[in-house]
Amino acid sequence: MKLFWRCFSVLHRLFDIILHGLFRLAYAGRKEQLPPISNLLLLQSATSLAAKIRKKKLKSVDLVNVYIQRIKEVNPFLNAAVHFRFDQALNEAQKADEIVAKGAKTEEELEKEMPFLGVPISVKELIAVEGLPLSGGLVSRKDARSPFNAQTVQLMRSAGAIPLVTTNISELGMWYESYNKVYGRTSNAYDTSRTCGGSSGGEGSLLGAAGSVMGIGSDIGGSIRIPAFFNGIFGHKPSPEVVSNYGTYPPSCEREFVPYLSLGPMCRYATDLAPMLSVLAGKGAAMLHLELPVKLKELKVYYIEDFGNHVVCTKVENDMIKALYKVLHHFTNAYKVTPTKLNLPALRHAYPMWAEAIRACRAPAFSEELTERKGGKIDFRAELVKWLLGKSPFTYPAVLLGAIEGTVFDGSGKHLTRLKDLKLQLQELLGEDGILFVPPHPTVAPHHNEPLFKPFNFSYTGIFNVLGFPVTQCPLGIGNEGLPLGVQVAAAPGCDRLTLAVAVELEKVFGGWVCPSAVME
């Protein structure tokens, strides 16, 4: 039997190689170059821009106009932003400038009370922004508008940030390519023939293209980290129950669902991660002690090259492993830390552990979400025929997921037991001073539709949702295919400050975000 699975694994790897080659041929010559950056304000962090506004060295109105212009330049290539509030944003920017001009508060007071005063922000479409559509990518909800702000959006607005656009998603946020029948498909910031990832793919794409400086995403299986990786930016999935899920669609405040879904920051500059998380967490930030310094030389460093099980997942590419080892060598050389390689056989079952944990949370089934929880059932066999004829209001991944939902596992609970044991093992290893480096995905960003043939590769991110560990995705330059490389940094629950500190370090050493278009002098 072992020989059989070994042979099947080899065949699967051969299939992956041939498939990727066919997609490369199919998309040859279809890559488009983004317009060059003509304003250097686009190359500054959100915290530095906010400081300039407080010091009266920059007007919020001017900054917002710069980002409006950039969005208009790149969005025709990417289809990343789907709804716009430019006029409202300019009015809010004017009010921000008036607050600074009045001088009623000192710079220090403004920094404490409104750390992002006057800085624009983008928001994933399934996170509520007052007055803007909140469809979740469902055709039946394309005209539904939110009468309120999600708590995360309201907290950022109270901190002075100005929502500028909402960005594209996968249908109901349950696929890792951002495509739906309401808004269409979003492309990668570095190569328009490649996927931007999902479900926060519009955020990743717009941020990667310098069309936004910071954004809010959500993550239940890698929906922040995969788009962040594919588009060369930073993204953080916080510890569970720190950031509120209130104000998303589908509604996600069921108590059982809270540990697995996290809203969190996405940005081009690592220095913005902790300030954003501090705001997004609200009162929950006190649990994270983000203000405490992190001594990198005192960290325990672990790493994993590959989850194995190449029957299900693609083998991690050499480019990705080389990037991982550059990080490990840096910690060895700079901090005299000896990284420890982990061999965790349980990770071969990462996908079934994720799937059983999600199913066990007793949230509404995906098929119920497709009908907006209004009752009734979808005949997925008939829906597949309609999809083949181009008549279905749903995407193929949604139809497929609805059809197979609840039919994959035996219900024995063995994967939940395995997950519990793995969590205890990793928590004991990491403690309060350990970090774990893991590839965010086996390959760089695939071509459009290629993930349909590699659906379980998201397991490299999804496992950390059900483990409940905070994770930061960090860019590590550009690989041989001209696409971003990256690494995940995980820590034990509540130890977000460790992964955020490592992100800042990696940005200093490896350069962080790399602009995908030319910069005009």
Side-chain angles (χ1 to χ4, degrees), residues 108-259:
E108 291 75 16
E109 289 172 330
L110 286 175
E111 182 178 11
K112 182 179 180 180
E113 296 173 20
M114 292 181 282
F116 292 110
L117 179 63
V119 180
I121 187 172
S122 49
V123 182
K124 183 178 185 176
E125 196 268 8
L126 58 71
I127 301 171
V129 176
E130 184 179 358
L132 294 188
L134 186 67
S135 73
L138 283 182
V139 171
S140 60
R141 287 184 54 86
K142 64 184 178 64
D143 297 320
R145 290 179 178 265
S146 176
F148 60 89
N149 289 312
Q151 186 167 337
T152 47
V153 174
Q154 190 56 51
L155 287 167
M156 288 300 294
R157 296 195 71 165
S158 297
I162 300 172
L164 195 54
V165 294
T166 54
T167 54
N168 203 15
I169 55 173
S170 57
E171 195 168 14
L172 291 177
M174 288 299 289
W175 182 240
Y176 75 109
E177 179 156 18
S178 291
Y179 167 68
N180 57 72
K181 294 295 185 75
V182 180
Y183 306 120
R185 188 186 307 278
T186 299
S187 295
N188 188 286
Y190 290 79
D191 183 340
T192 52
S193 73
R194 306 281 184 137
T195 178
C196 63
S199 61
S200 309
E203 276 301 305
S205 178
L206 193 67
L207 283 158
S212 178
V213 66
M214 59 178 176
I216 307 174
S218 61
D219 192 315
I220 195 170
S223 290
I224 285 175
R225 290 159 289 150
I226 291 175
F229 164 52
F230 285 174
N231 294 279
I233 63 167
F234 293 90
H236 180 70
K237 184 201 82 66
S239 292
E241 302 186 61
V242 171
V243 177
S244 170
N245 294 332
Y246 175 76
T248 61
Y249 190 86
S252 51
C253 288
E254 290 84 356
R255 184 67 186 173
E256 298 85 354
F257 217 45
V258 168

Side-chain angles (χ1 to χ4, degrees), residues 4-310:
F4 170 80
W5 288 116
R6 194 170 298 154
C7 291
F8 195 91
S9 173
V10 171
L11 289 174
H12 184 220
R13 289 167 62 183
L14 182 61
F15 170 79
D16 280 342
I17 293 169
I18 294 172
L19 183 73
H20 186 59
L22 291 174
F23 270 96
R24 291 188 71 173
L25 284 174
Y27 281 99
R30 295 171 64 177
K31 176 180 178 180
E32 296 180 285
Q33 183 66 42
L34 295 183
I37 286 178
S38 57
N39 194 310
L40 296 184
L41 287 174
L42 295 169
L43 303 180
Q44 297 181 35
S45 69
T47 47
S48 65
L49 291 168
K52 287 186 175 182
I53 290 171
R54 290 192 299 269
K55 295 177 184 294
K56 302 180 183 179
K57 294 181 178 180
L58 172 65
K59 287 188 177 296
S60 174
V61 167
D62 294 335
L63 178 62
V64 170
N65 268 315
V66 166
Y67 271 98
I68 289 174
Q69 181 59 36
R70 182 60 179 172
I71 291 168
K72 289 179 177 179
E73 290 173 349
V74 300
N75 210 49
F77 295 86
L78 303 174
N79 188 36
V82 293
H83 291 289
F84 312 86
R85 56 187 310 276
F86 293 161
D87 290 340
Q88 301 99 309
L90 286 169
N91 288 334
E92 290 163 15
Q94 181 64 47
K95 292 177 182 178
D97 289 333
E98 290 171 1
I99 290 173
V100 176
K102 285 179 181 178
K105 295 182 181 292
T106 66
E107 286 181 33
E108 291 75 16
E109 289 172 330
L110 286 175
E111 182 178 11
K112 182 179 180 180
E113 296 173 20
M114 292 181 282
F116 292 110
L117 179 63
V119 180
I121 187 172
S122 49
V123 182
K124 183 178 185 176
E125 196 268 8
L126 58 71
I127 301 171
V129 176
E130 184 179 358
L132 294 188
L134 186 67
S135 73
L138 283 182
V139 171
S140 60
R141 287 184 54 86
K142 64 184 178 64
D143 297 320
R145 290 179 178 265
S146 176
F148 60 89
N149 289 312
Q151 186 167 337
T152 47
V153 174
Q154 190 56 51
L155 287 167
M156 288 300 294
R157 296 195 71 165
S158 297
I162 300 172
L164 195 54
V165 294
T166 54
T167 54
N168 203 15
I169 55 173
S170 57
E171 195 168 14
L172 291 177
M174 288 299 289
W175 182 240
Y176 75 109
E177 179 156 18
S178 291
Y179 167 68
N180 57 72
K181 294 295 185 75
V182 180
Y183 306 120
R185 188 186 307 278
T186 299
S187 295
N188 188 286
Y190 290 79
D191 183 340
T192 52
S193 73
R194 306 281 184 137
T195 178
C196 63
S199 61
S200 309
E203 276 301 305
S205 178
L206 193 67
L207 283 158
S212 178
V213 66
M214 59 178 176
I216 307 174
S218 61
D219 192 315
I220 195 170
S223 290
I224 285 175
R225 290 159 289 150
I226 291 175
F229 164 52
F230 285 174
N231 294 279
I233 63 167
F234 293 90
H236 180 70
K237 184 201 82 66
S239 292
E241 302 186 61
V242 171
V243 177
S244 170
N245 294 332
Y246 175 76
T248 61
Y249 190 86
S252 51
C253 288
E254 290 84 356
R255 184 67 186 173
E256 298 85 354
F257 217 45
V258 168
Y260 306 135
L261 175 68
S262 294
L263 274 64
M266 300 175 70
C267 50
R268 279 183 282 135
Y269 299 98
T271 48
D272 291 333
L273 285 170
M276 276 193 73
L277 181 58
S278 182
V279 171
L280 292 170
K283 294 180 180 179
M287 296 188 291
L288 300 180
H289 305 291
L290 297 175
E291 74 286 352
L292 294 180
V294 175
K295 296 180 179 179
L296 298 179
K297 65 181 180 180
E298 296 180 3
L299 291 180
K300 297 180 295 186
V301 177
Y302 300 92
Y303 69 99
I304 295 169
E305 287 184 12
D306 194 304
F307 283 5
N309 196 2
H310 301 137

Side-chain angles (χ1 to χ4, degrees), residues 275-410:
M276 276 193 73
L277 181 58
S278 182
V279 171
L280 292 170
K283 294 180 180 179
M287 296 188 291
L288 300 180
H289 305 291
L290 297 175
E291 74 286 352
L292 294 180
V294 175
K295 296 180 179 179
L296 298 179
K297 65 181 180 180
E298 296 180 3
L299 291 180
K300 297 180 295 186
V301 177
Y302 300 92
Y303 69 99
I304 295 169
E305 287 184 12
D306 194 304
F307 283 5
N309 196 2
H310 301 137
V311 172
V312 172
C313 292
T314 302
K315 180 177 172 58
V316 176
E317 291 180 339
N318 287 335
D319 245 13
M320 297 292 297
I321 293 176
K322 287 178 182 178
L324 169 63
Y325 272 91
K326 285 181 181 179
V327 172
L328 300 175
H329 290 154
H330 168 69
F331 271 81
T332 299
N333 296 332
Y335 298 106
K336 310 306 178 188
V337 173
T338 303
T340 301
K341 183 178 181 179
L342 296 184
N343 179 28
L344 301 173
L347 288 175
R348 294 174 59 85
H349 308 278
Y351 171 69
M353 285 192 286
W354 178 88
E356 282 209 358
I358 294 298
R359 190 175 67 166
C361 73
R362 299 189 300 279
F366 184 70
S367 54
E368 293 178 72
E369 300 290 12
L370 290 175
T371 60
E372 300 184 56
R373 305 186 186 181
K374 293 179 180 178
K377 293 184 178 180
I378 295 173
D379 184 340
F380 286 103
R381 288 176 296 182
E383 205 61 48
L384 179 58
V385 174
K386 288 167 65 178
W387 180 85
L388 290 170
L389 296 173
K391 301 294 184 181
S392 176
F394 306 116
T395 60
Y396 177 72
V399 173
L400 183 62
L401 179 57
I404 66 173
E405 186 176 40
T407 65
V408 180
F409 305 112
D410 58 14

Side-chain angles (χ1 to χ4, degrees), residues 219 221-223 225-226 237 307 354 439-441 457-466 471 488:
D219 192 315
S223 290
R225 290 159 289 150
I226 291 175
K237 184 201 82 66
F307 283 5
W354 178 88
H441 190 263
N457 283 349
F458 84 95
S459 302
Y460 281 77
T461 52
I463 188 63
F464 292 105
N465 292 81
V466 292
V471 193
Q488 292 185 100

